[in-house]
């Protein structure tokens, strides 16, 4: 055990408005630096969250590199205190870490991907009392770029899906060591990144989701699992126009089908799953100059709808912002962003850290970990201090444009005001009212699906999107292509 230290709350806190209601309901996060995560000159490579000690509060483990290599478990004792336990210092170049159940004894174990070119996979077996023994699982010859864990064949043992240069492997866990290796049928590829396991067709089996690169282009591939370990391949986004840095799944549109959320350069995007093996690419957020590396999705505001939270790295000024997209009603997101204390590239994880029912966040970079404590929604306060306010009354350029069938229209309000957002044809005839009412300060995104006020498809052509408040107006052209 390294040391014990009570969580130190740092000076700043992140307070932001998440609801567009005139009641000024606000969700408050309080940010705490976790000082024990700063281990000398070592750098954090990866972090995994799970309840290791069984107290119904999430712990987390991190891999560190530098002059030494360490894997450290940070135990949450339930009193907003963390205990740091060194669980390995002998895994060379440990980077990816995943929590799983290796031996079905109800204790959480860890799998670590390590090495540089010739990689290996080690298992850190939990023997209880925060003591771990190390088992070499795949000793050499693995050239993997990513790995994911899950029970693919329904036998109760968690298996490994690992990517390699040109191949995708299933390491079938039979409760013995080593696991049996199966090369999966897969399109000819140069490399596979961002492996994610999820049930995308509601058949109670885990499928494989991955991003592949080839000399001919990129693809996002869904490999449905028939329940017996047989996989097919469906490129759901062939010749992908985006290169996601990671992927998560969540039912974003409340239709019981798992959708795919992807952060990338300038964009937070999602693939809308209609449940019939069809996926529609759509944009959640467009921010020029920003790089989005990670994202979490979940109901953070408690309204029953999935929200999106992502750190964005602003390249021109090497600064960091936290973007919050709260789903106030189906398919309608209120967007706010807030400066973060670190200028380094950060990633985010969901965590149940304290003694309430709200989901908190862990934000981490190479040197530090911050616990963002979800204090819940506070209502009826109209003058709550904000750390961010939009610069002006402004309507942004629509994206995509030209479009078919849907475009995203974002706008910013300097203060609370009554606004109307309307679409006109080129002759000035009103086509659709997208919003008419009072909204608080913030950044908003509305979608226009190319239909008029009666729900009929509008014809191809130029349309004018107008944002009005009193005597003020801002307008943009959009091009609908049928």
């Amino acid at each position: 055990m390294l040391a014990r230290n009570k969580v130190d709350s740092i000076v700043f806190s992140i307070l932001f408005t998440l609801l567009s209601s005139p009641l000024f309901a606000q969700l408050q996060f309080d940010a705490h630096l976790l000082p024990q995560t700063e281990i000398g000159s070592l750098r954090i490579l990866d972090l995994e969250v799970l309840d290791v000690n069984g107290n119904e509060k999430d712990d987390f483990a991190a891999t560190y590199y530098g002059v030494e290599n360490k894997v450290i478990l940070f135990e949450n004792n339930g009193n907003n205190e963390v205990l740091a336990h060194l669980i390995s210092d002998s895994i060379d170049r440990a980077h990816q870490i995943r929590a799983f159940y290796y031996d079905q004894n109800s204790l959480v174990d860890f799998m670590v991907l390590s090495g540089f070119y010739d990689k290996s996979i080690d298992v850190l077996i939990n023997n209880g009392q925060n003591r771990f023994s190390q088992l070499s699982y795949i000793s050499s010859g693995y050239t993997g770029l990513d790995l994911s864990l899950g029970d693919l064949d329904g036998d109760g043992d968690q298996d490994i899906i690992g990517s390699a240069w040109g191949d995708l492997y299933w390491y079938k866990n039979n409760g013995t060591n080593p696991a049996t290796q199966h090369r999966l049928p897969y399109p000819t590829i140069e490399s596979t990144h961002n492996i994610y396991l999820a049930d995308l067709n509601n058949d109670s089996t885990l499928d494989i989701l991955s991003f592949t690169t080839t000399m001919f282009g990129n693809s996002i591939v869904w490999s449905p699992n028939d329940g017996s370990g047989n996989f097919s391949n469906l490129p759901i986004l062939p010749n992908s126009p985006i290169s996601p840095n990671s992927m998560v799944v969540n039912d974003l549109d409340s239709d019981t089908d798992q959708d795919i959320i992807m952060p990338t350069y300038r964009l937070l995007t999602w693939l809308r799953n209609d449940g019939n093996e069809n996926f529609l690419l759509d944009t959640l957020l467009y921010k020029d100059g920003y790089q989005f590396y990670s994202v979490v999705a979940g109901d953070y505001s408690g309204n029953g709808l999935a929200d999106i939270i992502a750190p964005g790295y602003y390249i021109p000024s090497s600064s960091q912002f936290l973007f919050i997209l709260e789903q106030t009603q189906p398919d309608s997101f209120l967007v706010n962003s807030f400066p973060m204390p670190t200028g380094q590239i950060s990633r985010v994880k969901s965590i149940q850290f304290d003694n309430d029912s709200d989901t908190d966040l862990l934000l981490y970079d190479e040197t530090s970990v911050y616990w963002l404590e979800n204090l819940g929604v506070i209502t009826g306060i109209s003058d709550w201090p904000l750390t961010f306010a939009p610069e002006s009354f402004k309507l942004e350029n629509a994206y995509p444009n030209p479009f078919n069938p849907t475009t995203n229209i974002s706008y910013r309000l300097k203060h609370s005001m009554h606004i109307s957002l309307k679409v006109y044809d080129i002759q000035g005839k009103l086509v659709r009212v997208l919003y008419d009412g009072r909204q608080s300060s913030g950044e908003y995104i509305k979608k226009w699906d190319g239909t008029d006020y009666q729900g009929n498809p509008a014809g191809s052509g130029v349309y004018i999107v107008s944002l009005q408040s009193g005597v003020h107006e801002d307008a943009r052209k959009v091009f609908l292509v049928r």
Side-chain angles (χ1 to χ4, degrees):
M1 184 169 66
L2 298 182
R4 173 173 178 167
N5 199 340
K6 191 175 182 67
V7 172
D8 291 335
S9 177
I10 61 180
V11 175
F12 79 96
S13 64
I14 302 170
L15 306 172
F16 46 86
T17 301
L18 278 183
L19 300 179
S20 58
S21 164
L23 293 176
F24 292 90
Q26 295 166 348
L27 177 64
Q28 180 178 346
F29 280 79
D30 198 11
H32 308 267
L33 173 66
L34 302 180
Q36 285 188 278
T37 60
E38 298 175 334
I39 310 296
S41 61
L42 299 185
R43 297 290 184 263
I44 301 171
L45 272 178
D46 197 16
L47 185 148
E48 178 75 326
V49 173
L50 203 66
D51 180 12
V52 176
N53 59 10
N55 66 351
E56 298 183 354
K57 306 294 181 295
D58 285 335
D59 314 291
F60 60 95
T63 57
Y64 288 80
Y65 79 102
V67 294
E68 302 175 277
N69 297 275
K70 298 181 184 291
V71 182
I72 298 175
L73 170 64
F74 295 94
E75 181 189 7
N76 178 359
N77 69 0
N79 295 315
N80 297 346
E81 293 181 340
V82 290
L83 305 173
H85 305 274
L86 175 65
I87 59 177
S88 176
D89 59 0
S90 60
I91 299 179
D92 185 38
R93 297 179 185 268
H95 40 101
Q96 280 193 352
I97 183 168
R98 300 288 183 267
F100 80 130
Y101 296 92
Y102 172 71
D103 46 13
Q104 295 188 345
N105 65 356
S106 78
L107 297 177
V108 177
D109 310 302
F110 292 101
M111 180 163 287
V112 179
L113 176 63
S114 61
F116 192 56
Y117 292 111
D118 187 16
K119 295 182 175 66
S120 61
I121 297 176
D122 293 275
V123 176
L124 296 173
I125 300 174
N126 189 346
N127 300 313
Q129 303 299 314
N130 298 310
R131 298 181 181 276
F132 290 77
S133 56
Q134 185 173 325
L135 171 68
S136 178
Y137 202 67
I138 300 172
S139 58
S140 65
Y142 179 65
T143 58
L145 302 171
D146 198 8
L147 60 84
S148 191
L149 298 165
D151 183 7
L152 295 176
D153 52 6
D155 65 355
D157 295 309
Q158 288 191 292
D159 311 306
I160 307 170
I161 291 293
S163 68
W165 293 103
D167 291 300
L168 192 66
Y169 289 101
W170 171 22
Y171 294 92
K172 187 174 182 180
N173 182 0
N174 298 313
T176 61
N177 184 58
T180 56
Q181 177 180 294
H182 303 267
R183 185 181 183 277
L184 296 178
Y186 212 65
T188 301
I189 58 177
E190 292 179 2
S191 63
T192 303
H193 308 264
N194 303 327
I195 301 173
Y196 201 95
L197 302 184
D199 181 10
L200 294 180
N201 53 4
N202 285 326
D203 65 353
S204 301
T205 61
L206 290 177
D207 310 314
I208 304 172
L209 180 67
S210 58
F211 172 64
T212 69
T213 62
T214 73
M215 62 182 297
F216 304 106
N218 305 325
S219 295
I220 295 173
V221 178
W222 170 34
S223 303
N225 179 1
D226 70 356
S228 300
N230 299 309
F231 297 88
S232 55
N233 294 304
L234 299 175
I236 57 178
L237 195 60
N239 301 316
S240 172
I242 62 172
S243 298
N245 291 311
S246 60
M247 293 186 287
V248 299
V249 300
N250 200 289
D251 182 11
L252 203 55
D253 51 5
S254 303
D255 65 352
T256 73
D257 295 308
Q258 295 293 300
D259 308 301
I260 305 165
I261 303 108
M262 302 171 292
T264 184
Y265 176 60
R266 299 190 299 183
L267 294 168
L268 290 176
T269 62
W270 69 304
L271 286 165
R272 186 193 299 263
N273 181 0
D274 71 355
N276 295 308
E277 300 186 355
N278 299 310
F279 295 80
L280 176 66
L281 180 64
D282 203 352
T283 299
L284 290 163
L285 181 68
Y286 173 84
K287 283 292 180 183
D288 194 27
Y290 282 86
Q291 180 72 271
F292 296 98
Y293 286 94
S294 72
V295 63
V296 291
D299 182 14
Y300 296 96
S301 57
N303 65 354
L305 299 173
D307 312 308
I308 306 293
I309 299 178
Y313 183 72
Y314 189 53
I315 298 172
S317 63
S318 300
S319 54
Q320 188 83 19
F321 291 81
L322 189 68
F323 288 84
I324 299 98
L325 290 73
E326 199 233 354
Q327 194 169 183
T328 56
Q329 54 187 342
D331 276 351
S332 182
F333 290 88
L334 172 62
V335 181
N336 270 309
S337 64
F338 305 90
M340 298 305 297
T342 173
Q344 299 182 43
I345 294 170
S346 297
R347 290 168 172 80
V348 66
K349 300 265 189 177
S350 296
I351 189 171
Q352 293 286 347
F353 193 83
D354 53 14
N355 293 308
D356 60 24
S357 59
D358 296 320
T359 301
D360 307 315
L361 302 172
L362 281 185
L363 186 78
Y364 67 99
D365 55 32
E366 283 192 345
T367 58
S368 304
V369 179
Y370 295 90
W371 164 39
L372 302 187
E373 180 186 3
N374 187 345
L375 301 180
V377 173
I378 302 172
T379 59
I381 300 175
S382 60
D383 58 351
W384 198 267
L386 300 177
T387 59
F388 170 85
E391 295 176 356
S392 63
F393 170 90
K394 186 177 181 181
L395 180 64
E396 304 286 355
N397 291 326
Y399 186 88
N401 190 22
F403 72 98
N404 180 20
T406 301
T407 189
N408 300 279
I409 300 163
S410 63
Y411 56 94
R412 294 179 289 167
L413 306 180
K414 185 176 181 180
H415 51 78
S416 176
M417 63 182 73
H418 187 284
I419 66 104
S420 62
L421 184 66
K422 300 177 181 179
V423 180
Y424 297 88
D425 65 18
I426 199 66
Q427 280 117 17
K429 180 181 177 181
L430 179 64
V431 176
R432 181 79 176 269
V433 177
L434 300 178
Y435 188 86
D436 190 352
R438 191 169 187 83
Q439 290 185 310
S440 57
S441 169
E443 185 171 350
Y444 298 82
I445 295 178
K446 297 294 183 184
K447 295 180 183 294
W448 182 40
D449 61 2
T451 61
D452 63 18
Y453 65 96
Q454 293 180 324
N456 300 316
S460 298
V462 179
Y463 293 84
I464 307 299
V465 178
S466 172
L467 177 66
Q468 293 178 301
S469 180
V471 297
H472 301 288
E473 181 180 10
D474 202 356
R476 295 288 185 272
K477 290 181 180 180
V478 295
F479 301 86
L480 174 58
V481 180
R482 293 293 185 187

